[in-house]
Amino acid sequence: MDNSNMWIKHKNNRSIKEQVDILVKLTETHKKCIGLPKSKREVEFLKILYPASIRNLEIGDKFIGKTDYSAVGFGCVTSTSGVGYFFHKHKIDELKNNTKDKELLEKINLVEKYWCDKDTQENFRKELKKSNPEFFKKFAKNDNYSCVVCGFSRLSGMQLNYNKLLDLGVNGLKKSILSRNKDGKNDFYRASLEALDLFLDIANHFEIETRKLAQSLIGDKLEREEVLKVSNCLKEIKKGEKPKSFREAIQLTWLYGVVAGVVNYGRMDDYLGEYLLDDLNNDKLTEKEALDLVKSFWKMIAWRKTVMNGRVTIGGKGRRNEKAADKFAMIAMEATRINKDLEPQLTLRIYENQNKKLLEKGLEVISEGCTFPMIYNDEVNIPSVASAMNVSLKEAEDYVPFGCGEIILCGKSVGTPNVLINTLKALEVTLRNGYDRVNDVSLGYNTGKIEDFDTFDKLLEAYKTQLKIHIEELAKAQRLSYDVMKENCSFIYVSLLIDDCIEKGKELLSGGARHLGGTLEVYGNINSANSLTAIKKIVFEDEKINLKQLVHILDRNFNGFEEIRNELLNAPKYGNDEAEGDLMASKLHEYVCMCIKESAKDIGLDSFLAVVINNHSNTIWGRTTLASADGRKKGQFMANGNNPYNGTDINGPTAMLNSLTKLKTDIHAGSVQNMKFSRSMFKNHINIINQLLEVYFENGGSQLMITVVDPKELEKAYNNPTNYRNLIVRVGGFSARFVELDRQVQKEVMERTLYE
């Protein structure tokens, strides 16, 4: 899901003139470097972008790294800035609206004229239209999600090998490059060395600025001392050597990630744990000081407001020093409990022999109203990832979720979800031979007239064909998104910390990444399965109505047909541990996932996998999806992830969790399971909760996201938002303050089953 429309804008820290001056310099640099190798051009561009885009230290912060993004820039994802070389027309318009200076307006217009056709996202759309005009007609209406499919060009989910950065230091990375670039001719190597020098220059710049700030704080000894600690930290980092302290390790990884444009942070306990334990053991830090550092770090991550990102993973198999990692994990969870922010999205991996205190602490934090940590089961996920991605079990130990729940190999793979499908909309157009009544055009494929479906199996085959054609075209679009990006971008800072780019001397999208994969976001699958079950029973088995009559009723949104709607609502539903409803969901899940998985070889990717993760797209896409045969009305939200449709799981939490475990986990790259408990249930019956989770994970449960609220609390917040500003809920693959959500999304969350 592209969340650029969810940006929460920070007030830019610079004057209009300063912003325009940077835009002019970026434009002149890009124009001047147009004929240079792409890696060299990128570095020259980044030299203008940084450190100019990074704010000076703000009083109270313990780290440098708050960033302002202008109308033109370079990045990986839309959640903070843009993809590759980006251009944001709305920010240009803001600048125009905020100045009457004719000279500045003239400069802004020149910048706009140059960049209007150079945005990476728009270039992807142009190339898609050129290469596949018929599919583009079905694809192009993604602004309001009124079609079956849509997609983007982006590099989401990159999680870097910070162990390599901390083990080698910047100087060590440079030595690694120099040892391979013996003839000095490799463009990527040469640009990489310049990029690393630029990074050290950035550290040097802010070391000087923070020292100036400290000198200005003569009257405030405590603040001055804190600022000097930041300055001294940057002084060490600019030397390029390995960090010597926990604070240095945090600042180095954070600043590097900011410059690289990444918004997820990998297995943080693995790469920071040893620094923490060493400082504690050598009395360089007290536990309180360490907690304060992590709390401040968490605030920096939360400040970015990436909404659907900000993942930090703790726990799990394969960590280098479990004792040290566990120490960091416990402090990380305590910082999350105290801060109660929406980011970082703390993710706890568990396995059978892991320190039990980690899960106990995690459940304690959740019980206090936090939606973190999310819990992932290594016993299921490691073999599942190995199978789905065709990698070894050892490599699969480095799996990490990103964004809304997609899974990637930390520091080893690319798996950005650049294409999306609404399977319920696909069923809708199948019933109308490709025709979409919402847009009054053909947005699907001609897979048969309604009269042709005289058996359920014929309808099912037509639906599968509809899905398969869309998936095959989406796979090509995913490949095209990479080709468009690699044509103009090196993503050089990302490439340097993704295996095996340095070893091969290639950027990550040009053959450098060890595993080049992609993912396809799947929505509507549970409603589709429930609809198929209802059609099978009501139309073909019980013969209450025929298929043509059903489509007529759905087109009229059940108006005048409440009796039939009740029949459809009462048909078997997934989520009750009953064979009929669960079997259809399992079969559809497997078909969709395998269809996506098998298309990887056709587009030259190491893997191409489904991700059944819902953010708020189940609500957005539901708005333009007609009434469905499961009894859902037109415009209503769809089920969230693999969860049962709201209110249809009526046999209790054990039955619901049993249904979840029937969906195969080794054929996709991530799915989302949400549960909502009352506070009294979670706090007063924690033994029951523990038993419930233990059985679920033993039976093959892969993941769980838990929200704890009081009965009626959401309804009260819906009606009186000013009294519930700090109420946090799990939406899908991300958390949000309930009162800040779209009203329809609020209703979807409210209507989920609450276990009391």
Side-chain angles (χ1 to χ4, degrees):
M1 168 67 188
D2 173 63
N3 61 325
S4 56
N5 62 324
M6 296 185 68
W7 280 356
I8 301 174
K9 299 176 184 177
H10 300 293
K11 185 177 179 182
N12 200 295
N13 214 23
R14 304 180 189 282
S15 68
I16 299 292
K17 183 180 184 307
E18 287 173 323
Q19 293 178 59
V20 173
D21 285 346
I22 292 172
L23 289 175
V24 170
K25 288 178 183 177
L26 289 169
T27 303
E28 290 173 346
T29 300
H30 190 272
K31 190 185 301 184
K32 180 178 67 176
C33 298
I34 206 75
L36 297 177
K38 61 182 179 182
S39 53
K40 172 64 174 175
R41 181 176 70 241
E42 184 171 306
V43 172
E44 292 302 316
F45 190 85
L46 292 172
K47 287 178 182 177
I48 306 300
L49 200 60
Y50 299 113
S53 297
I54 301 175
R55 294 187 176 193
N56 287 329
L57 188 73
E58 297 179 357
I59 298 298
D61 291 343
K62 298 183 187 297
F63 304 100
I64 282 285
K66 288 181 176 177
T67 310
D68 291 318
Y69 298 98
S70 62
V72 173
F74 188 91
C76 292
V77 292
T78 54
S79 55
T80 54
S81 53
V83 182
Y85 297 100
F86 61 81
F87 169 71
H88 296 314
K89 176 76 164 60
H90 71 280
K91 289 198 171 187
I92 285 287
D93 291 341
E94 283 177 13
L95 289 173
K96 288 180 180 178
N97 292 335
N98 285 318
T99 183
K100 295 181 180 180
D101 186 301
K102 290 184 179 179
E103 185 179 347
L104 286 180
L105 285 170
E106 185 177 344
K107 289 179 179 179
I108 294 169
N109 287 330
L110 288 172
V111 168
E112 180 177 10
K113 183 178 180 181
Y114 180 79
W115 285 101
C116 63
D117 63 349
K118 293 177 176 62
D119 181 80
T120 303
Q121 290 268 28
E122 288 306 310
N123 285 340
F124 162 67
R125 292 171 66 83
K126 288 176 186 176
E127 289 300 316
L128 181 63
K129 184 176 183 180
K130 188 190 304 182
S131 65
N132 198 341
E134 288 305 309
F135 184 57
F136 183 75
K137 291 177 184 177
K138 307 176 192 302
F139 199 90
K141 293 183 179 292
N142 63 34
D143 290 341
N144 61 3
Y145 287 75
S146 62
C147 51
V148 179
V149 295
C150 63
F152 318 93
S153 182
R154 57 185 178 180
L155 197 63
S156 293
M158 298 312 303
Q159 306 211 40
L160 309 182
N161 186 347
Y162 288 115
N163 289 100
K164 179 183 286 188
L165 176 65
L166 296 177
D167 289 348
L168 298 178
V170 172
N171 290 343
L173 288 174
K174 290 166 73 174
K175 288 177 184 176
S176 181
I177 294 168
L178 288 167
S179 68
R180 289 172 171 83
N181 191 32
K182 293 179 180 176
D183 62 5
K185 294 181 179 180
N186 183 297
D187 291 329
F188 169 63
Y189 283 150
R190 289 191 295 183
S192 295
L193 292 171
E194 284 195 63
L196 292 172
D197 283 339
L198 171 59
F199 180 77
L200 296 180
D201 288 343
I202 294 168
N204 180 62
H205 171 85
F206 287 108
E207 188 268 323
I208 294 169
E209 291 301 313
T210 50
R211 196 161 296 279
K212 288 179 184 176
L213 176 59
Q215 290 170 354
S216 71
L217 295 169
I218 298 172
D220 194 331
K221 184 179 178 182
L222 289 178
E223 286 290 1
R224 184 171 181 272
E225 287 177 355
E226 283 301 312
V227 173
L228 280 173
K229 287 178 183 177
V230 178
S231 183
N232 291 333
C233 179
L234 291 163
K235 183 178 180 181
E236 291 301 313
I237 288 173
K238 75 178 184 181
K239 296 175 183 176
E241 301 299 330
K242 296 187 291 185
K244 297 182 180 66
S245 70
F246 183 53
R247 183 193 286 265
E248 284 178 34
I250 293 176
Q251 180 65 84
L252 175 59
T253 53
W254 171 245
L255 187 59
Y256 190 99
V258 166
V259 174
V262 298
V263 290
N264 295 283
Y265 309 102
R267 305 189 71 178
M268 194 175 282
D269 59 344
D270 190 45
Y271 61 80
L272 290 181
E274 290 182 349
Y275 289 93
L276 169 64
L277 193 60
D278 184 68
D279 278 8
L280 291 173
N281 288 342
N282 291 292
D283 296 324
K284 295 179 182 178
L285 279 177
T286 64
E287 291 220 11
K288 182 183 182 306
E289 289 169 336
L291 177 61
D292 286 344
L293 284 174
V294 176
K295 284 164 54 183
S296 184
F297 188 16
W298 270 204
K299 288 292 183 184
M300 296 294 289
I301 294 173
W303 187 87
R304 297 180 88 178
K305 292 183 169 63
T306 64
V307 184
M308 298 171 192
N309 289 283
R311 286 267 190 163
V312 168
T313 301
I314 56 176
K317 294 182 179 180
R319 294 172 296 163
R320 300 191 299 186
N321 182 334
E322 282 208 6
K323 182 180 178 182
D326 286 353
K327 188 67 178 177
F328 178 88
M330 295 294 283
I331 288 179
M333 287 188 279
E334 180 63 8
T336 294
R337 185 190 71 81
I338 295 170
N339 282 12
K340 286 187 171 60
D341 276 323
L342 304 180
E343 295 178 56
Q345 294 202 66
L346 195 63
T347 302
L348 173 62
R349 286 174 45 179
I350 62 171
Y351 64 95
E352 186 176 351
N353 296 320
Q354 185 168 279
N355 183 350
K356 302 300 182 186
K357 290 183 179 180
L358 268 65
L359 181 56
E360 290 172 6
K361 180 66 176 178
L363 294 177
E364 175 200 332
V365 174
I366 292 169
S367 74
E368 294 193 16
C370 296
T371 52
F372 307 118
M374 297 165 280
I375 305 169
Y376 281 74
N377 180 13
D378 276 10
E379 306 295 350
V380 170
N381 289 318
I382 290 173
S384 293
V385 168
S387 175
M389 295 187 182
N390 300 310
V391 299
S392 68
L393 286 170
K394 186 63 181 171
E395 280 194 300
E397 286 183 353
D398 275 328
Y399 84 89
V400 282
F402 69 87
C404 300
E406 305 94 324
I407 286 174
I408 200 171
L409 299 177
C410 191
K412 295 180 176 65
S413 71
V414 179
T416 177
N418 287 1
V419 284
L420 304 82
I421 186 169
N422 179 349
T423 62
L424 187 59
K425 189 76 173 179
L427 179 58
E428 177 186 308
V429 298
T430 300
L431 289 167
R432 296 159 181 82
N433 199 20
Y435 190 74
D436 176 33
R437 290 182 59 86
V438 174
N439 293 288
D440 200 26
V441 293
S442 180
L443 281 181
Y445 295 93
N446 303 129
T447 51
K449 297 179 181 178
I450 196 82
E451 296 82 3
D452 299 331
F453 306 141
D454 55 356
T455 68
F456 176 74
D457 286 343
K458 287 182 180 178
L459 169 62
L460 184 60
E461 283 307 306
Y463 178 47
K464 286 182 176 179
T465 300
Q466 187 81 232
L467 288 171
K468 190 172 190 298
I469 297 171
H470 277 103
I471 287 168
E472 288 173 348
E473 295 297 343
L474 286 169
K476 295 174 188 174
Q478 175 84 21
R479 177 78 241 192
L480 180 63
S481 74
Y482 287 167
D483 292 341
V484 168
M485 286 189 287
K486 80 174 183 181
E487 183 69 24
N488 294 299
C489 308
S490 293
F491 298 106
I492 200 155
Y493 283 112
V494 175
S495 295
L496 285 169
L497 293 188
I498 295 293
D499 302 344
D500 301 306
C501 294
I502 291 179
E503 289 77 6
K504 295 177 181 177
K506 298 178 179 180
E507 299 99 338
L508 77 163
L509 294 181
S510 300
R514 183 176 299 180
H515 302 289
L516 182 60
T519 46
L520 192 164
E521 294 185 15
V522 179
Y523 299 89
N525 49 325
I526 296 303
N527 292 91
S528 299
N530 286 343
S531 294
L532 290 169
T533 302
I535 291 170
K536 185 172 184 286
K537 178 173 175 53
I538 305 303
V539 175
F540 291 99
E541 293 176 358
D542 298 347
E543 298 183 342
K544 298 283 180 74
I545 53 173
N546 61 41
L547 201 56
K548 191 170 184 179
Q549 289 171 324
L550 174 65
V551 173
H552 173 81
I553 291 169
L554 297 179
D555 284 347
R556 280 150 187 77
N557 199 27
F558 299 111
N559 290 329
F561 300 96
E562 285 304 316
E563 186 176 338
I564 289 297
R565 183 180 181 229
N566 286 332
E567 294 277 358
L568 296 169
L569 286 170
N570 291 327
K573 297 288 189 290
Y574 163 79
N576 294 294
D577 197 18
E578 295 174 347
E580 199 169 356
D582 290 353
L583 183 60
M584 188 69 75
S586 298
K587 285 184 175 180
L588 180 60
H589 171 82
E590 185 167 353
Y591 176 79
V592 170
C593 290
M594 288 306 298
C595 195
I596 297 169
K597 188 175 191 291
E598 290 168 358
S599 63
K601 59 182 179 294
D602 297 328
I603 56 172
L605 294 181
D606 296 322
S607 65
F608 186 53
L609 299 167
V611 285
V612 191
I613 51 98
N614 275 359
N615 24 66
H616 63 323
S617 292
N618 62 314
T619 299
I620 293 176
W621 238 331
R623 292 170 183 165
T624 53
T625 302
L626 294 178
S628 46
D630 58 344
R632 175 194 145 274
K633 285 199 167 186
K634 175 185 177 181
Q636 284 190 334
F637 50 79
M638 302 183 295
N640 192 284
N642 276 338
N643 281 62
Y645 190 57
N646 295 23
T648 60
D649 51 323
I650 56 177
N651 288 349
T654 301
M656 190 275 282
L657 291 174
N658 286 343
S659 293
L660 287 179
T661 62
K662 296 175 185 178
L663 303 180
K664 294 184 71 173
T665 59
D666 61 353
I667 53 177
H668 61 69
S671 62
V672 168
Q673 284 75 240
N674 286 290
M675 287 192 80
K676 193 168 68 173
F677 291 96
S678 69
R679 293 185 195 276
S680 59
M681 175 67 175
F682 211 85
K683 284 199 167 188
N684 300 332
H685 302 284
I686 192 63
N687 290 336
I688 295 174
I689 299 293
N690 280 326
Q691 291 171 13
L692 187 71
L693 298 184
E694 186 176 341
V695 172
Y696 167 62
F697 288 131
E698 283 179 356
N699 288 345
S702 65
Q703 181 264 4
L704 206 57
M705 301 175 176
I706 299 171
T707 297
V708 177
V709 294
D710 286 327
K712 303 294 184 181
E713 189 173 14
L714 296 179
E715 185 179 338
K716 291 176 182 176
Y718 183 83
N719 293 320
N720 298 289
T722 55
N723 297 330
Y724 293 88
R725 291 290 179 194
N726 293 319
L727 178 60
I728 297 174
V729 295
R730 196 75 193 156
V731 179
F734 73 104
S735 293
R737 299 194 188 282
F738 180 78
V739 299
E740 295 175 357
L741 290 168
D742 178 278
R743 298 289 273 181
Q744 282 187 290
V745 179
Q746 288 179 340
K747 286 184 177 180
E748 189 272 319
V749 174
M750 289 167 62
E751 291 181 24
R752 294 177 190 172
T753 301
L754 175 70
Y755 298 108
E756 302 185 62

